[in-house]
């Protein structure tokens, strides 16, 4: 079973700064099936990035994804107040693996 | 516009079977490449994928929960039903259904609002 480990657990930054979130897989993941989500308190997750680097519909270009193999990164170039939330990476593998989510990174205001 | 909404009991007793229904609109589950999945989130914890059903009735389950889960679809009613047997207090969580499509590389692009299920005697 593929395990996704996100780091750091909590990231404290100020608006305007750059955020770099990491997602490391226990074994190689197809880049085509690596996604990132944003979740705010009391809300459902929102898809940000799919296919490791493609932005979902309506996602601002300050969000970018990169990586391959076992190491993936979500970068937020300049933090806006609404970007402070929890971020999850997710991979999808062939049966019987299915989907796996990381444990999340909380991005908080410093 | 794609929307999904979960429905079901808010409280179940230990050992009971949970049945949740996802009612959706804006897409058809008979369209090639489309799927609906279930994901849950215990209070204050991470997301956990449970099951997924595709347009062609292909079904996928979380390996750790497979023995307890069944997912079905009713294309005519635009519904997907998830049943989970032998409920336990650790299954207390918000349960989400979500849409996926091959163009999104099977990521979940649209989510329902979620329904909170508490397992307690």
């Amino acid at each position: 079973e593929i395990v996704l480990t996100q780091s750091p657990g909590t990231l404290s930054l100020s608006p305007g700064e750059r955020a770099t979130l990491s997602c490391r897989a226990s074994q190689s993941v197809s880049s085509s099936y690596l996604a990132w989500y944003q979740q705010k308190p009391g809300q459902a997750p929102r898809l940000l990035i799919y296919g490791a680097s493609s932005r979902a519909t309506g996602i601002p270009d300050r969000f970018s994804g990169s990586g391959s193999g076992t190491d993936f990164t979500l970068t937020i170039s300049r933090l806006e107040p609404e970007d402070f939330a929890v971020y999850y990476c997710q991979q999808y593998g062939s049966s019987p693996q299915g989907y796996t989510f990381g444990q999340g990174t909380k991005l908080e205001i410093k | 516009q794609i929307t999904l909404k979960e429905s079901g009991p808010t409280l179940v007793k230990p050992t009971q079977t949970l049945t949740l229904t996802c009612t959706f609109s804006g897409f058809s589950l008979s369209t090639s490449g489309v799927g609906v999945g279930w994901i849950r989130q215990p209070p204050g914890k991470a997301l956990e994928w449970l099951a997924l059903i595709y347009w062609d009735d292909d079904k996928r389950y979380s390996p750790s929960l497979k023995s307890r889960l069944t997912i079905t679809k009713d294309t005519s009613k635009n519904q997907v039903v998830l049943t989970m047997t032998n409920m336990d207090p650790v299954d207390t969580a918000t349960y989400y259904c979500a849409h996926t499509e091959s163009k999104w590389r099977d990521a979940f692009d649209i989510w329902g609002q979620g329904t909170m299920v508490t397992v307690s005697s």
Side-chain angles (χ1 to χ4, degrees), chain A residues 17-76:
Chain A
E17 291 192 292
R18 181 185 185 91
T20 303
L21 287 66
S22 173
C23 176
R24 179 162 291 178
S26 58
Q27 54 187 280
S28 186
V29 170
S30 169
S31 297
S32 295
Y33 298 100
L34 193 288
W36 289 91
Y37 300 84
Q38 175 194 69
Q39 187 179 33
K40 297 181 180 179
Q43 296 183 16
R46 176 174 72 144
L47 177 65
L48 299 175
I49 301 289
Y50 67 96
S53 60
S54 298
R55 275 186 299 275
T57 302
I59 301 303
D61 61 7
R62 65 180 181 273
F63 290 91
S64 64
S66 63
S68 64
T70 59
D71 290 297
F72 298 87
T73 300
L74 174 70
T75 301
I76 310 172

Side-chain angles (χ1 to χ4, degrees), chain B residues 8-98:
Chain B
T10 57
L11 179 66
V12 297
K13 290 180 167 46
T15 75
Q16 286 187 335
T17 293
L18 171 68
T19 299
L20 294 173
T21 300
C22 176
T23 303
F24 56 85
S25 63
F27 68 95
S28 172
L29 202 37
S30 59
T31 300
S32 178
V34 172
V36 172
W38 285 93
I39 303 99
R40 71 178 179 180
Q41 185 173 38
K45 296 188 177 181
L47 301 164
E48 178 183 22
W49 171 70
L50 301 176
L52 175 70
I53 189 165
Y54 288 105
W55 84 101
D56 60 356
D57 211 38
D58 185 14
K59 300 168 186 176
R60 307 291 171 91
Y61 295 101
S62 165
S64 62
L65 293 167
K66 184 176 182 178
S67 63
R68 299 173 54 204
L69 296 172
T70 302
I71 190 169
T72 60
K73 64 180 175 72
D74 186 330
T75 305
S76 65
K77 293 183 178 179
N78 282 351
Q79 291 182 333
V80 171
V81 175
L82 179 76
T83 61
M84 180 181 290
T85 61
N86 194 25
M87 293 292 285
D88 184 272
V90 300
D91 296 314
T92 294
T94 297
Y95 287 76
Y96 297 98
C97 63

